[in-house]
Amino acid sequence: MAGVETGTITTDIPARMDRLPWARWHWLVVIGLGTVWILDGLEVTIVGSMSEALKPGDTGLGLSSSDVGLAGAMYVAGACVGALFFGQLTDRFGRKKLFLITLGVYTVATVLTAFSMNPAWYFACRFLTGTGIGGEYAAINSAIDELIPAKYRGRVDVAINGSFWVGAALGSLLTIPLLDPNVVDPSWGWRAAFALGAILAVGILVVRRHVPESPRWLFIHEREDEAERVVSDIERTVVDETGVELHDVDDTITIRQRKTISLALIARTVFTMYPRRTILCFSLFVGQAFLYNAFFFTYGDTLSTFLDVTQTGWYLAIFAASNFIGALVLSPLFDTIGRVRMIAGTYIVSGILLAVAGVLLGDLSAVTLTMFGAVTFFFASAGASAAYLTASEIFPMETRALCIAFFYAIGTAAGGIAGPLLFGRLIEDASSDGDITGIAIGYFIGAALMIAGGIVEIFLGVKAEGQSLEDIAQPLTAEDRADNQTDQAERSRA
């Protein structure tokens, strides 16, 4: 149904949200919303760490190396479907309603995974779990960007997306005792690992209930009174927590309110008004999705198949720690040095390092391969996190969640589904003659895509640091939009 205009308002809410100093309230947003990436990291790592535990027919599910890759692909396919399905619902029905629903979907699917009795059930549950996580990416990234002040948006987004690796490290360490037959029965250890993810999700849900709806979404959808109440409450809380007196703002924006925005209008905006930004996001998402999903989903299988590692958890934990440290250390630079330089630099450097690892693969041990991966992904983690930041801030507010979903789905489908399937096949073929160099082709492809993404960023990147979301991309419902389309077209090329 096409969007129908219901009124016109002039509001200063975006300027008031952007001028807020950092306070404990913002940490509530970070903890309540950002912790979803910990869940994603936990899920991905559990599958990677317990690939061997799932292979025996008596205590596991009788999976082959190709099946392990297929399970990863099913999870990513579910994430793509969930992102697209829940993404358009997020733009239509609000951020809060959907980030509660998607977390619920994830929780139920993870519990069902723990009760898998055959490969088919397991694959189906991995798909449903991915559906919830994919929906989370769309709902959460849009909500975070609309609640965090402009001067902090880059570092917060990159650091939060990097927290995926906190979950990855946690999952790696948890699997060490859970997969030790002397500690836990092998037939129950991997099931317990999945159940723990659901327990963490319930805790996050409790915190998340206190995060408000996005005021930016509210005033566009004819709920300006509620938006005003939400912002006033946030301002009072921030003043009480910081003791800083808030200054008045002069910047306003006039909006033509609509209850819904048609998908046709969203598609026309993304593909015809912002073609360069569309190419940019596609390039960034394909590169990072292939790199991570291909390498990390099957890393545990690589260690155990070729390098005689029986407990992969320690190696994966070190790898995960370097990723999180990279995102945490480099994240402030995306607001100071700038988006274009940092994204291009992290993509190109990590691509070159991965290519070198592919060349040296035959001479690397489990320890040196992990060290190579740790250095490579120290840079790649920040770059990959910035891909989500880019998609969430360079398109109009009404399309934000669906744009994140669209690029996540397209990029991840290209890299995240093909990657695990390719690596699973490469591992299986190479293991027949015990030659680890047989998987180097996957490294080279990932490296090439990352370097290409960095080059595209150099030419098409948007200098969004410190800018209000409404200045980066004017809302579709802005009253003066028709007069400013030429300016916006020029800005899309900035």
Side-chain angles (χ1 to χ4, degrees):
M1 185 176 80
V4 178
E5 296 178 21
T6 58
T8 300
I9 65 163
T10 298
T11 180
D12 60 1
I13 282 177
R16 288 163 63 190
M17 292 294 293
D18 282 338
R19 62 83 149 91
L20 292 175
W22 190 265
R24 287 196 304 273
W25 182 85
H26 294 104
W27 283 113
L28 170 68
V29 174
V30 169
I31 295 170
L33 300 183
T35 40
V36 62
W37 281 268
I38 296 178
L39 292 177
D40 193 13
L42 189 69
E43 286 294 320
V44 172
T45 311
I46 284 174
V47 174
S49 296
M50 48 180 56
S51 56
E52 288 302 305
L54 293 169
K55 289 180 179 179
D58 52 348
T59 59
L61 294 173
L63 303 186
S64 65
S65 290
S66 292
D67 288 335
V68 172
L70 177 60
M74 291 295 291
Y75 176 80
V76 175
C80 294
V81 172
L84 291 172
F85 177 71
F86 290 117
Q88 57 94 17
L89 294 181
T90 299
D91 281 330
R92 177 166 294 197
F93 297 114
R95 295 11 179 167
K96 181 167 185 174
K97 188 173 294 184
L98 268 297
F99 64 58
L100 293 175
I101 291 173
T102 52
L103 186 58
V105 171
Y106 163 85
T107 305
V108 171
T110 302
V111 171
L112 291 175
T113 305
F115 289 93
S116 296
M117 70 287 293
N118 55 54
W121 178 283
Y122 178 71
F123 295 148
C125 289
R126 295 308 298 160
F127 179 86
L128 290 175
T129 304
T131 301
I133 289 292
E136 286 275 285
Y137 273 98
I140 301 306
N141 268 304
S142 54
I144 288 173
D145 275 4
E146 291 164 13
L147 291 170
I148 297 297
K151 66 181 295 186
Y152 302 107
R153 191 173 60 243
R155 72 194 70 186
V156 169
D157 255 28
V158 172
I160 284 178
N161 279 277
S163 68
F164 170 99
W165 298 103
V166 174
L170 180 62
S172 300
L173 295 174
L174 280 174
T175 57
I176 293 173
L178 290 176
L179 297 183
D180 187 341
N182 297 317
V183 178
V184 180
D185 187 322
S187 62
W188 290 101
W190 62 270
R191 298 179 187 276
F194 285 110
L196 288 172
I199 294 173
L200 179 60
V202 171
I204 295 172
L205 186 62
V206 172
V207 177
R208 188 172 288 185
R209 291 176 60 250
H210 300 288
V211 177
E213 178 61 88
S214 164
R216 286 173 156 104
W217 184 88
L218 288 169
F219 69 66
I220 282 179
H221 290 80
E222 207 183 15
R223 294 165 63 179
E224 64 271 21
D225 291 340
E226 185 177 348
E228 180 63 38
R229 287 196 300 273
V230 168
V231 175
S232 296
D233 287 344
I234 294 172
E235 289 174 330
R236 281 193 295 271
T237 300
V238 169
V239 169
D240 290 342
E241 291 176 351
T242 65
V244 175
E245 194 65 33
L246 301 178
H247 62 80
D248 294 332
V249 297
D250 297 321
D251 293 339
T252 61
I253 185 170
T254 300
I255 293 294
R256 299 189 304 272
Q257 296 173 303
R258 301 187 185 195
K259 285 187 177 296
T260 60
I261 310 295
S262 70
L263 290 177
L265 178 58
I266 291 173
R268 188 165 65 249
T269 299
V270 173
F271 290 110
T272 64
M273 194 166 182
Y274 296 102
R276 294 164 66 91
R277 297 185 182 191
T278 300
I279 294 171
L280 170 66
C281 289
F282 178 77
S283 301
L284 296 179
F285 270 84
V286 168
Q288 64 86 28
F290 192 96
L291 183 75
Y292 270 107
N293 288 291
F295 185 91
F296 194 60
F297 262 128
T298 53
Y299 185 55
D301 207 11
T302 301
L303 291 173
S304 58
T305 301
F306 298 105
L307 300 173
D308 300 322
V309 175
T310 55
Q311 275 285 13
T312 61
W314 294 112
Y315 296 90
L316 291 169
I318 293 170
F319 180 84
S322 74
N323 277 265
F324 179 60
I325 292 170
L328 200 62
V329 170
L330 298 178
S331 61
L333 302 181
F334 287 82
D335 285 323
T336 54
I337 293 177
R339 308 285 203 262
V340 176
R341 291 179 180 177
M342 286 303 299
I343 295 173
T346 52
Y347 266 66
I348 292 172
V349 168
S350 59
I352 292 173
L353 289 172
L354 186 65
V356 174
V359 173
L360 301 176
L361 192 56
D363 299 319
L364 297 178
S365 65
V367 172
T368 53
L369 178 59
T370 301
M371 291 175 63
F372 231 110
V375 175
T376 300
F377 288 86
F378 174 89
F379 296 100
S381 174
S385 297
Y388 292 92
L389 166 65
T390 300
S392 66
E393 69 180 359
I394 66 173
F395 294 101
M397 202 230 52
E398 299 92 335
T399 73
R400 184 162 294 122
L402 190 57
C403 281
I404 297 167
F406 174 77
F407 291 112
Y408 173 83
I410 297 299
T412 303
I417 297 177
L421 290 175
L422 171 63
F423 260 56
R425 177 58 62 183
L426 288 175
I427 291 173
E428 199 160 80
D429 291 344
S431 64
S432 61
D433 53 15
D435 185 9
I436 192 174
T437 60
I439 68 173
I441 183 63
Y443 285 41
F444 296 141
I445 294 173
L449 290 173
M450 284 296 282
I451 293 171
I455 293 172
V456 171
E457 175 68 30
I458 292 173
F459 291 99
L460 303 182
V462 179
K463 297 177 180 179
E465 55 273 9
Q467 294 191 54
S468 168
L469 293 172
E470 288 72 23
D471 289 334
I472 300 169
Q474 194 178 39
L476 300 179
T477 47
E479 189 175 55
D480 58 346
R481 184 171 186 86
D483 297 331
N484 287 339
Q485 284 196 352
T486 301
D487 293 339
Q488 284 292 305
E490 289 299 322
R491 187 177 297 162
S492 73
R493 293 191 287 272

